[in-house]
Every structure is written in C-alpha cells, then in structure tokens.
Amino acid sequence: MSSTLVSPPILIFGATGAIGKNTARKLKNNKMNLILASSQESEDLINLSNEIKAPYIAFDFLSNKNENILSQKIKSISENLGGLIISIGRQFPKKFIHNTDEKILLEQLYIHIIALHKIIKICLPMLEKAKNLDPKITYISTEYLLGNPPIKIGPYLAAKSAANTYMKVLSNEVIKKNIRTFILCPGMIRSKLTSDFPEIYLSEIEEKMPRKRLTNVDEISNTILSIYKGYLNASYGIEIQVSVADR
C-alpha cells in the first residue's frame, strides 16, 4: 500500500499485536502520522489500516532475508521517519529451556536480534533526516528481565535479554544524533504470545497480583503516547517498567 505523508510518520513494527494495535489507535487519535508493519498482509492488518487511515507494509524476516525489499517498501511511503516502535515476536513451545530444540532458540534469536538489527540499519538514516523533530525509537521488551525470570519461556527471555543490551548500546550511540531510544518493559498481558497459556494459569497469576489483574494494553500504549509527546525525554536509554505486578 502506498501513500504520501505530510509529516514524518512513526513506523510501528508488530502493528497487529495487542500492544501495536492499541498503540496505533492511540497515536492516530492524537493526530500522529503512522506506517503500520506486520509479518503478513493479514485481514487484521488491512482492517486496522482502513480503520485509522494509515498505510501499511508486510514483511516476514524469517521467510525473506533480503532487507532491501523492506527498505524499498518503507521508502515508497516516506523517505524519513519521525519515530520507530518495535513490538515484534513469535509464539514458541512453552518448555523447560534445557528441553528446547535449538531451532526454537535460533528462531527467537533471529527475530529479536537479527531482525531488530536489520530494522535499525534500515530506519536509522530515515530517523536522522528528521533529527530536528526529536525522533524517537521505542523497543518493547518485558518486565521479566528486571526480576527473577519464570520458567518455560527461556528462549524468548534469552533473546529479549540480548535485545535489551543492544538497545542500551544503541541509545548511547544515537543520542549524539538527537535520537532518543526507549526500552519499555511491560508486564504480562493477554495477547497472541500468551494465547496458548491455559486460562487457569493466567487466572492464578492474576490472583497473585496486587490488583488481581494483569497489565492492560492501555497502560502500555499510554506510556508510549507519553514518549512520543516528549513527556519522558529524560528517561531514554533505561528500562521503563509498565506493570501492575509486585515490585
């Protein structure tokens, strides 16, 4: 889908996920230009694009290793970017990490490190073109890296841990280019990644929470909105916890 945007848009990778979709709606309601990105040209992506009147691109990093195609798709819509939100992931078998097939580990590492690196390489020059407009990069991580990690999601957490380090290093590099990087660490939400958890398991987690519920996507997307409004400019480069879990 192609379009010409007046002001530099914010590109959302993972736009059809729970966080990406809710954030897209919230940012659009606040008059921000967007480009939606997802791994597939799905009905969800098309419907969201039509709903909020934002162009979209589809690119699967696992099936297409040629990042030049992704670059061309973005540039067909806009040559520069006012922001970047990265909320990507893929489901995996919930097993003990020592029983996990190495193919699963490699897939998670590819998604959260290699694909992340490709996104940054492609988008950074486009963000630099908008450096006078205070461009921002937001990476969606997880609060499980801030405390004692749970079992059976080891491949995901190992890859996310590497990505957190990547983003911290990146933050120190790009602040010199007037680009701020934010690492958001949300609590567990109901999403595609947790859809294969038994309901009884999620209910047990909720019962242990101080407010007897999981974190909701509004709490996360409101924080992202605050980032792109400039309210959290002094919090770049560090993990920002957004969670209703115990501290």
Side-chain angles (χ1 to χ4, degrees):
M1 183 175 182
S2 180
S3 177
T4 302
L5 299 175
V6 176
S7 60
I10 299 168
L11 174 55
I12 304 178
F13 280 93
T16 57
I19 295 174
K21 186 181 294 186
N22 201 62
T23 297
R25 288 174 173 144
K26 199 163 293 278
L27 295 181
K28 193 67 176 182
N29 284 341
N30 281 267
K31 313 302 181 186
M32 298 183 190
N33 281 326
L34 304 176
I35 301 174
L36 310 174
S38 186
S39 60
Q40 298 178 38
E41 191 174 7
S42 63
E43 186 175 343
D44 272 355
L45 181 61
I46 295 169
N47 288 343
L48 181 62
S49 172
N50 291 333
E51 175 193 337
I52 67 173
K53 304 297 187 291
Y56 70 83
I57 57 176
F59 187 86
D60 188 345
F61 286 99
L62 287 176
S63 63
N64 193 337
K65 303 297 194 290
N66 185 356
E67 63 263 33
N68 290 329
I69 296 174
L70 175 60
S71 178
Q72 291 165 8
K73 287 187 175 188
I74 299 170
K75 288 178 179 178
S76 71
I77 300 172
S78 179
E79 290 284 338
N80 53 13
L81 295 173
L84 178 62
I85 298 170
I86 305 166
S87 181
I88 56 178
R90 186 158 299 201
Q91 284 187 307
F92 55 91
K94 308 301 190 291
K95 296 181 178 181
F96 292 119
I97 195 166
H98 64 274
N99 288 334
T100 298
D101 191 288
E102 65 181 39
K103 290 181 181 179
I104 302 300
L105 287 166
L106 288 171
E107 180 178 271
Q108 290 296 308
L109 285 168
Y110 191 90
I111 291 169
H112 294 292
I113 284 294
I114 305 303
L116 171 64
H117 181 57
K118 290 184 176 185
I119 289 170
I120 297 301
K121 278 203 308 178
I122 290 167
C123 295
L124 193 56
M126 302 181 198
L127 290 162
E128 286 186 62
K129 289 182 179 180
K131 63 183 180 181
N132 294 327
L133 300 174
D134 196 21
K136 299 173 177 68
I137 302 171
T138 303
Y139 178 70
I140 308 302
S141 182
T142 169
E143 73 166 346
Y144 285 135
L145 298 180
L146 304 180
N148 190 32
I151 60 175
K152 294 193 176 181
I153 58 171
Y156 171 79
L157 294 181
K160 281 287 190 183
S161 180
N164 266 29
T165 300
Y166 181 104
M167 296 306 295
K168 286 181 178 179
V169 174
L170 179 73
S171 179
N172 288 329
E173 294 175 351
V174 301
I175 191 62
K176 299 170 185 177
K177 302 174 184 289
N178 200 36
I179 299 170
R180 289 180 175 85
T181 296
F182 298 83
I183 304 167
L184 223 59
C185 294
M188 181 183 286
I189 63 171
R190 292 177 183 272
S191 66
K192 293 176 183 177
L193 284 177
T194 60
S195 62
D196 57 347
F197 281 124
E199 180 58 34
I200 189 170
Y201 173 75
L202 294 175
S203 297
E204 287 174 356
I205 292 177
E206 287 179 324
E207 188 59 32
K208 294 175 183 177
M209 295 289 190
R211 299 180 65 188
K212 307 299 182 185
R213 66 169 177 84
L214 299 178
T215 304
N216 65 52
V217 289
D218 261 346
E219 290 163 331
I220 299 165
S221 57
N222 281 333
T223 305
I224 297 173
L225 175 61
S226 296
I227 288 172
Y228 287 90
K229 282 193 167 187
Y231 300 154
L232 297 180
N233 275 356
S235 299
Y236 73 89
I238 60 172
E239 287 107 335
I240 302 171
Q241 188 174 16
V242 184
S243 168
V244 298
D246 284 321
R247 300 295 193 263

